[in-house]
């Protein structure tokens, strides 16, 4: 396979500044890495948050956008085992300051970057939509209490979004949970098709009252996962969950899509720390989580998809990633305006 000499990548060098298309020389491949030709990348809220974050902008030099990818191995380092030129793979490249997946080529370290072989039944666009949201869903479901003789009950707020769709599917396919999905009525049929047992329409129903009416004193919820953020359920989650249950948020207390989310919010929200400590001592638990970095989770997704138990959800594939009139600008606008259900994917020439 002919190795590339030049790599095109979208980079930024100032706070929220335009992404610029840069061309850089492809350096010799380290022995522990593989070189991947990227065919598709997807956008996540964290991409926008990091792009607009002062924490990232203060670091000199150019930074990239994009964490998910699907592509083809074009070269393998001499110390890498289990991968060969021509392998189609997908995975997560979460390098905050370094390379990104809005790029023609990326260097991947199979020992640290979660990756898996892409099966033929996934397109590159579908595969690129999976890694971050599926790995985040796995991180949330790790907080389920041990199985008992009753079916575990899970509530998912924001069930029609990127992470929410994988939470619904994995909670059903892997853990056989009873799932209550919270979303708008226009997405109710969609989340039911993914495995939700019941749907609460937040636009017309009182969430707390509806959740309370669906449980008894001896059958409370085991896990509530909030993919939206804010404090709407804080006054009631302790009454909705049993003592060994957990309230998980992947966002934190904030609601602005442009602000950094996830566990980093513990740093500037002392109430989240107090909530965590209180739950750790007395229960039910509270935690703000990120994603797992275990390649075996992506391999498990492939096996489940092969059996037809889960599916990749792509809302839209936007062409022209490297075209300043289209591509990334359209994807960012859709994300910031909240017009995203599933994932927005950008094919790469």
């Amino acid at each position: 396979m002919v190795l590339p000499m030049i790599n095109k990548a979208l980079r930024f060098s100032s706070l929220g500044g335009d992404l610029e298309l840069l061309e850089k020389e492809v350096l010799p491949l380290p022995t522990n890495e593989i070189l991947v030709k990227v065919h598709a990348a997807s956008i996540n809220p964290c991409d926008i948050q990091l792009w607009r974050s002062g924490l990232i902008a203060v670091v000199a030099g150019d930074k990239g956008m994009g964490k998910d990818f699907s592509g083809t191995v074009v070269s393998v380092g001499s110390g890498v085992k289990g991968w060969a030129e021509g392998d189609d793979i997908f995975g997560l490249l979460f390098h905050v300051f370094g390379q990104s997946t809005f790029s023609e080529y990326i260097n991947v370290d199979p020992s640290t970057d979660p990756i898996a072989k892409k099966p033929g039944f996934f397109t590159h666009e579908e595969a690129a939509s999976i890694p971050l949201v599926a790995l985040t869903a796995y991180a949330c479901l790790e907080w389920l209490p041990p199985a008992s003789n009753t079916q575990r009950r899970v509530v998912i707020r924001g069930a029609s979004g990127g992470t929410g769709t994988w939470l619904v599917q994995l909670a059903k396919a892997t853990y056989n949970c009873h799932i209550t999905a919270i979303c708008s009525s226009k997405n109710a049929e969609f989340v039911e098709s993914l495995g939700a047992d019941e749907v609460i329409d937040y636009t017309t129903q009182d969430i707390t009252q509806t959740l309370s009416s669906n449980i008894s004193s001896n059958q409370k919820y085991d896990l509530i996962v909030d993919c939206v953020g804010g404090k709407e359920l804080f006054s009631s989650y302790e009454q909705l969950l049993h003592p060994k249950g957990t309230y998980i948020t992947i966002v934190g207390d904030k609601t602005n899509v442009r602000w950094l989310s996830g566990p980093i919010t513990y740093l500037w929200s002392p109430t989240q720390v107090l909530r965590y400590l209180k739950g750790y001592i007395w229960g039910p638990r509270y935690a703000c989580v990120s994603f797992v970095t275990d390649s075996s989770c992506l391999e498990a997704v492939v096996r489940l998809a092969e059996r037809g138990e889960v599916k990749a959800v792509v809302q839209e594939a936007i062409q022209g990633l490297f075209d300043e009139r289209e591509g990334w600008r359209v994807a960012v606008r859709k994300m910031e305006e909240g017009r995203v259900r599933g994932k927005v994917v950008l094919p790469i020439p």
Side-chain angles (χ1 to χ4, degrees), residues 235-252:
S235 62
S236 58
Y237 80 80
E238 292 179 330
Q239 289 72 48
L240 296 170
L241 291 162
H242 61 67
K244 293 184 179 180
T246 306
Y247 179 97
I248 293 292
T249 174
I250 65 172
V251 180

Side-chain angles (χ1 to χ4, degrees), residues 272-309:
Q272 288 185 213
V273 178
L274 294 174
R275 219 175 288 132
Y276 175 87
L277 294 173
K278 177 184 175 183
Y280 182 82
I281 298 171
W282 293 290
R285 299 289 302 272
Y286 166 92
C288 185
V289 306
S290 185
F291 53 90
V292 297
T293 57
D294 190 345
S295 295
S296 66
C297 291
L298 295 181
E299 294 166 356
V301 165
V302 171
R303 292 192 296 271
L304 290 168
E306 189 173 24
R307 297 196 297 265
E309 297 181 48

Side-chain angles (χ1 to χ4, degrees), residues 151-160 164 167-168 171-172 177-183 188 191-192 195-202 205-208 210-215 219-227 233 240:
Q151 187 180 32
R152 287 172 288 188
R153 297 165 62 87
V154 176
V155 177
I156 302 169
R157 182 174 179 234
S160 62
L167 279 164
V168 172
K172 179 63 68 175
C177 295
H178 178 280
I179 301 164
T180 300
I182 301 174
C183 63
V191 298
E192 287 175 343
D197 296 285
E198 56 184 301
V199 177
I200 297 176
D201 175 11
Y202 69 86
Q205 296 173 272
D206 183 285
I207 295 175
T208 299
T210 306
L211 288 172
S212 299
S213 65
N214 290 344
I215 60 173
Q219 196 181 19
K220 294 187 175 183
Y221 295 105
D222 296 277
L223 185 68
I224 297 175
V225 184
D226 182 4
C227 302
L233 296 180
L240 296 170

